[in-house]
Amino acid sequence: MNATQEPVKTGAPFRAVLHPHRSLSPRGFLILMTGIGLVSFVTGMVFLAIGAWPVLGFFGLDLALIYVAFRLNYRSGRRYELVELSPELLKVTHVQPSGQAQSFEFNPFWVRVRLEQWRDGSNELKLASHGRELSIGRFLTDDERRDFASVLEGARLAARGSPRM
């Protein structure tokens, strides 16, 4: 499994937590903001020395906007999806950054794991049963969705007691 899927030992035979990828760690964020802050401060002081003092304020504004953008990005990274599978139930829980959760339940005997492929190489992972469809893993990369679809289908077949294909 890739880094976005974390198998956990519980009563359910299969459990995965899907997280959006964030390439910049909190330490990296601190280093980046310190670097941008230093460059902005030094450059702002140069403009201040030549008499263009309003430019200093714009450098401060740029720094504040970059900080806000990163904080909003990290907030959206707190969302995740929990996929739990047992012989009786396939349960998917979408958890928003605010902590609000919404759960969807499927019978593992009737649900189909569908990976729809598009011409441009992208894909969409869906669970379908009785005319209902649920898209999962939207924040994953195409390769991660492809891998997870394979793992989930294998786990679903194992939970049903079916031989793997």
PDB file of all heavy atoms in Angstrom, residues 9 21 27 44 49 64 72 74 84 99 106 113 116 123 132 157:
ATOM      1  N   LYS A   9      -5.178  -2.828  12.410  1.00  0.00           N
ATOM      2  CA  LYS A   9      -5.755  -4.064  12.932  1.00  0.00           C
ATOM      3  C   LYS A   9      -6.930  -3.738  13.834  1.00  0.00           C
ATOM      4  O   LYS A   9      -6.787  -3.065  14.838  1.00  0.00           O
ATOM      5  CB  LYS A   9      -4.705  -4.856  13.736  1.00  0.00           C
ATOM      6  CG  LYS A   9      -3.553  -5.355  12.888  1.00  0.00           C
ATOM      7  CD  LYS A   9      -4.011  -6.459  11.992  1.00  0.00           C
ATOM      8  CE  LYS A   9      -2.837  -7.016  11.212  1.00  0.00           C
ATOM      9  NZ  LYS A   9      -3.221  -7.923  10.189  1.00  0.00           N
ATOM     10  N   HIS A  21      -2.401  13.970  -0.016  1.00  0.00           N
ATOM     11  CA  HIS A  21      -0.947  14.113   0.068  1.00  0.00           C
ATOM     12  C   HIS A  21      -0.578  15.570   0.323  1.00  0.00           C
ATOM     13  O   HIS A  21      -1.114  16.468  -0.304  1.00  0.00           O
ATOM     14  CB  HIS A  21      -0.295  13.634  -1.230  1.00  0.00           C
ATOM     15  CG  HIS A  21       1.177  13.806  -1.242  1.00  0.00           C
ATOM     16  ND1 HIS A  21       2.005  13.070  -0.435  1.00  0.00           N
ATOM     17  CD2 HIS A  21       1.974  14.628  -1.947  1.00  0.00           C
ATOM     18  CE1 HIS A  21       3.254  13.433  -0.654  1.00  0.00           C
ATOM     19  NE2 HIS A  21       3.254  14.377  -1.568  1.00  0.00           N
ATOM     20  N   ARG A  27       7.763  21.360   9.445  1.00  0.00           N
ATOM     21  CA  ARG A  27       9.131  21.900   9.566  1.00  0.00           C
ATOM     22  C   ARG A  27       9.538  22.588   8.268  1.00  0.00           C
ATOM     23  O   ARG A  27      10.135  23.664   8.283  1.00  0.00           O
ATOM     24  CB  ARG A  27      10.105  20.786   9.911  1.00  0.00           C
ATOM     25  CG  ARG A  27      11.515  21.279  10.143  1.00  0.00           C
ATOM     26  CD  ARG A  27      12.421  20.149  10.656  1.00  0.00           C
ATOM     27  NE  ARG A  27      13.720  20.656  10.980  1.00  0.00           N
ATOM     28  CZ  ARG A  27      14.764  20.560  10.165  1.00  0.00           C
ATOM     29  NH1 ARG A  27      14.637  19.961   8.997  1.00  0.00           N
ATOM     30  NH2 ARG A  27      15.933  21.051  10.523  1.00  0.00           N
ATOM     31  N   GLY A  44      12.885  44.680   1.279  1.00  0.00           N
ATOM     32  CA  GLY A  44      12.102  45.822   1.748  1.00  0.00           C
ATOM     33  C   GLY A  44      12.979  46.908   2.340  1.00  0.00           C
ATOM     34  O   GLY A  44      12.731  48.104   2.143  1.00  0.00           O
ATOM     35  N   ALA A  49      15.617  52.200   2.082  1.00  0.00           N
ATOM     36  CA  ALA A  49      16.829  53.023   2.060  1.00  0.00           C
ATOM     37  C   ALA A  49      16.861  53.961   0.860  1.00  0.00           C
ATOM     38  O   ALA A  49      17.428  55.064   0.952  1.00  0.00           O
ATOM     39  CB  ALA A  49      18.067  52.130   2.055  1.00  0.00           C
ATOM     40  N   ALA A  64       2.116  37.784   4.284  1.00  0.00           N
ATOM     41  CA  ALA A  64       0.878  37.409   4.979  1.00  0.00           C
ATOM     42  C   ALA A  64      -0.028  36.578   4.077  1.00  0.00           C
ATOM     43  O   ALA A  64      -0.620  35.581   4.525  1.00  0.00           O
ATOM     44  CB  ALA A  64       0.147  38.660   5.451  1.00  0.00           C
ATOM     45  N   LEU A  72      -4.582  27.532   4.794  1.00  0.00           N
ATOM     46  CA  LEU A  72      -5.812  26.988   4.211  1.00  0.00           C
ATOM     47  C   LEU A  72      -5.548  25.642   3.547  1.00  0.00           C
ATOM     48  O   LEU A  72      -6.359  24.722   3.640  1.00  0.00           O
ATOM     49  CB  LEU A  72      -6.407  27.972   3.199  1.00  0.00           C
ATOM     50  CG  LEU A  72      -7.011  29.239   3.790  1.00  0.00           C
ATOM     51  CD1 LEU A  72      -7.411  30.202   2.677  1.00  0.00           C
ATOM     52  CD2 LEU A  72      -8.187  28.915   4.683  1.00  0.00           C
ATOM     53  N   TYR A  74      -3.184  23.472   4.417  1.00  0.00           N
ATOM     54  CA  TYR A  74      -3.007  22.473   5.481  1.00  0.00           C
ATOM     55  C   TYR A  74      -4.342  22.114   6.124  1.00  0.00           C
ATOM     56  O   TYR A  74      -4.575  20.973   6.499  1.00  0.00           O
ATOM     57  CB  TYR A  74      -2.033  22.969   6.557  1.00  0.00           C
ATOM     58  CG  TYR A  74      -0.594  22.775   6.175  1.00  0.00           C
ATOM     59  CD1 TYR A  74       0.251  23.850   5.989  1.00  0.00           C
ATOM     60  CD2 TYR A  74      -0.079  21.497   5.978  1.00  0.00           C
ATOM     61  CE1 TYR A  74       1.577  23.670   5.630  1.00  0.00           C
ATOM     62  CE2 TYR A  74       1.232  21.305   5.609  1.00  0.00           C
ATOM     63  CZ  TYR A  74       2.062  22.396   5.443  1.00  0.00           C
ATOM     64  OH  TYR A  74       3.355  22.206   5.079  1.00  0.00           O
ATOM     65  N   GLU A  84     -13.898   0.727   5.831  1.00  0.00           N
ATOM     66  CA  GLU A  84     -13.894  -0.452   6.692  1.00  0.00           C
ATOM     67  C   GLU A  84     -14.720  -1.548   6.025  1.00  0.00           C
ATOM     68  O   GLU A  84     -15.836  -1.286   5.564  1.00  0.00           O
ATOM     69  CB  GLU A  84     -14.490  -0.128   8.058  1.00  0.00           C
ATOM     70  CG  GLU A  84     -13.691   0.913   8.821  1.00  0.00           C
ATOM     71  CD  GLU A  84     -14.380   1.339  10.090  1.00  0.00           C
ATOM     72  OE1 GLU A  84     -15.460   1.948   9.993  1.00  0.00           O
ATOM     73  OE2 GLU A  84     -13.829   1.055  11.170  1.00  0.00           O
ATOM     74  N   GLY A  99     -14.284  18.287  10.820  1.00  0.00           N
ATOM     75  CA  GLY A  99     -14.579  17.155  11.687  1.00  0.00           C
ATOM     76  C   GLY A  99     -15.932  16.532  11.404  1.00  0.00           C
ATOM     77  O   GLY A  99     -16.262  15.481  11.945  1.00  0.00           O
ATOM     78  N   PHE A 106     -22.584  -0.263   2.516  1.00  0.00           N
ATOM     79  CA  PHE A 106     -22.897  -1.145   1.397  1.00  0.00           C
ATOM     80  C   PHE A 106     -22.803  -2.590   1.871  1.00  0.00           C
ATOM     81  O   PHE A 106     -22.022  -2.911   2.758  1.00  0.00           O
ATOM     82  CB  PHE A 106     -21.893  -0.953   0.252  1.00  0.00           C
ATOM     83  CG  PHE A 106     -21.906   0.419  -0.353  1.00  0.00           C
ATOM     84  CD1 PHE A 106     -21.046   1.400   0.102  1.00  0.00           C
ATOM     85  CD2 PHE A 106     -22.771   0.720  -1.392  1.00  0.00           C
ATOM     86  CE1 PHE A 106     -21.040   2.653  -0.460  1.00  0.00           C
ATOM     87  CE2 PHE A 106     -22.776   1.983  -1.966  1.00  0.00           C
ATOM     88  CZ  PHE A 106     -21.903   2.950  -1.493  1.00  0.00           C
ATOM     89  N   VAL A 113     -16.754  -2.567  -7.073  1.00  0.00           N
ATOM     90  CA  VAL A 113     -15.683  -1.572  -7.063  1.00  0.00           C
ATOM     91  C   VAL A 113     -15.402  -1.246  -8.522  1.00  0.00           C
ATOM     92  O   VAL A 113     -14.978  -2.107  -9.289  1.00  0.00           O
ATOM     93  CB  VAL A 113     -14.414  -2.125  -6.366  1.00  0.00           C
ATOM     94  CG1 VAL A 113     -13.299  -1.107  -6.411  1.00  0.00           C
ATOM     95  CG2 VAL A 113     -14.724  -2.522  -4.930  1.00  0.00           C
ATOM     96  N   GLU A 116     -13.342   3.894 -13.213  1.00  0.00           N
ATOM     97  CA  GLU A 116     -13.640   4.429 -14.542  1.00  0.00           C
ATOM     98  C   GLU A 116     -12.405   5.141 -15.082  1.00  0.00           C
ATOM     99  O   GLU A 116     -11.871   6.043 -14.443  1.00  0.00           O
ATOM    100  CB  GLU A 116     -14.820   5.393 -14.473  1.00  0.00           C
ATOM    101  CG  GLU A 116     -16.117   4.716 -14.088  1.00  0.00           C
ATOM    102  CD  GLU A 116     -17.293   5.674 -14.070  1.00  0.00           C
ATOM    103  OE1 GLU A 116     -17.101   6.886 -14.317  1.00  0.00           O
ATOM    104  OE2 GLU A 116     -18.404   5.201 -13.787  1.00  0.00           O
ATOM    105  N   ASN A 123      -8.659   8.848 -13.843  1.00  0.00           N
ATOM    106  CA  ASN A 123      -9.655   7.847 -13.477  1.00  0.00           C
ATOM    107  C   ASN A 123     -10.470   8.327 -12.286  1.00  0.00           C
ATOM    108  O   ASN A 123     -10.151   9.337 -11.658  1.00  0.00           O
ATOM    109  CB  ASN A 123      -8.983   6.497 -13.190  1.00  0.00           C
ATOM    110  CG  ASN A 123      -7.974   6.569 -12.079  1.00  0.00           C
ATOM    111  OD1 ASN A 123      -8.180   7.206 -11.062  1.00  0.00           O
ATOM    112  ND2 ASN A 123      -6.842   5.914 -12.270  1.00  0.00           N
ATOM    113  N   ARG A 132     -27.068   3.056  -6.609  1.00  0.00           N
ATOM    114  CA  ARG A 132     -26.348   4.119  -5.898  1.00  0.00           C
ATOM    115  C   ARG A 132     -24.875   4.054  -6.266  1.00  0.00           C
ATOM    116  O   ARG A 132     -24.324   2.967  -6.426  1.00  0.00           O
ATOM    117  CB  ARG A 132     -26.454   3.955  -4.385  1.00  0.00           C
ATOM    118  CG  ARG A 132     -27.800   4.173  -3.816  1.00  0.00           C
ATOM    119  CD  ARG A 132     -27.799   4.112  -2.295  1.00  0.00           C
ATOM    120  NE  ARG A 132     -26.780   3.228  -1.741  1.00  0.00           N
ATOM    121  CZ  ARG A 132     -26.387   3.217  -0.471  1.00  0.00           C
ATOM    122  NH1 ARG A 132     -26.923   4.048   0.370  1.00  0.00           N
ATOM    123  NH2 ARG A 132     -25.475   2.377  -0.044  1.00  0.00           N
ATOM    124  N   LEU A 157     -13.432  -9.452  -2.030  1.00  0.00           N
ATOM    125  CA  LEU A 157     -13.585 -10.857  -2.400  1.00  0.00           C
ATOM    126  C   LEU A 157     -13.198 -11.773  -1.244  1.00  0.00           C
ATOM    127  O   LEU A 157     -13.853 -12.790  -0.999  1.00  0.00           O
ATOM    128  CB  LEU A 157     -12.751 -11.176  -3.649  1.00  0.00           C
ATOM    129  CG  LEU A 157     -13.241 -10.528  -4.943  1.00  0.00           C
ATOM    130  CD1 LEU A 157     -12.244 -10.780  -6.061  1.00  0.00           C
ATOM    131  CD2 LEU A 157     -14.621 -11.016  -5.306  1.00  0.00           C
TER     132      LEU A 157
END
